[in-house]
Amino acid sequence: SYKITYFFDAAGCYEVGLDTYFSLETNAIEVLNEIKGMIEKDANFGTPTNTNSLYEWNSKDRLVSIQMDYINQDKGMISLTIFANQ
C-alpha cells in the first residue's frame, strides 16, 4: 500500500511525499533501487549523498530537493519526499 501527501503554501505546492508499505523487504529493495536508479540517471540530479539510511539529491539549480528514507526497508517501508526550494 502507499500514502501520498501534498503540502501547499501561498506560492503553491512545496512538498510531495510518497510513503510505501510492502509485505516483503525484497519488494521494498527492488522499488528503492528502481527509484534511485531513475533519479541518478537524470543529469539534473546525479549521485546522491547517503547518510543514516537517507538518500538526498539536489538539482543543479538547487530549486528541487529529493529525499528517500529507507531506514525501515527491512519492514517493507520506503519514504520519498520531493521539495520545491524557494
Side-chain angles (χ1 to χ4, degrees):
S1 64
Y2 62 92
K3 176 182 174 185
I4 298 175
T5 54
Y6 303 90
F7 296 96
F8 293 86
D9 62 13
C13 184
Y14 66 90
E15 181 179 322
V16 176
L18 172 64
D19 298 327
T20 60
Y21 308 93
F22 297 93
S23 56
L24 299 174
E25 178 182 8
T26 55
N27 295 107
I29 292 169
E30 288 175 19
V31 170
L32 171 86
N33 289 332
E34 182 68 25
I35 293 170
K36 181 177 172 280
M38 289 176 58
I39 298 169
E40 286 177 333
K41 288 178 186 173
D42 187 323
N44 196 38
F45 291 99
T47 305
T49 59
N50 185 0
T51 309
N52 298 320
S53 300
L54 179 71
Y55 288 118
E56 295 181 275
W57 293 267
N58 284 298
S59 61
K60 289 181 179 179
D61 60 9
R62 313 292 284 171
L63 294 177
V64 177
S65 300
I66 301 173
Q67 294 180 344
M68 189 161 49
D69 180 347
Y70 64 97
I71 195 165
N72 292 312
Q73 82 177 12
D74 61 327
K75 298 174 186 161
M77 298 169 57
I78 299 170
S79 296
L80 178 71
T81 308
I82 302 171
F83 301 95
N85 303 323
Q86 297 183 22

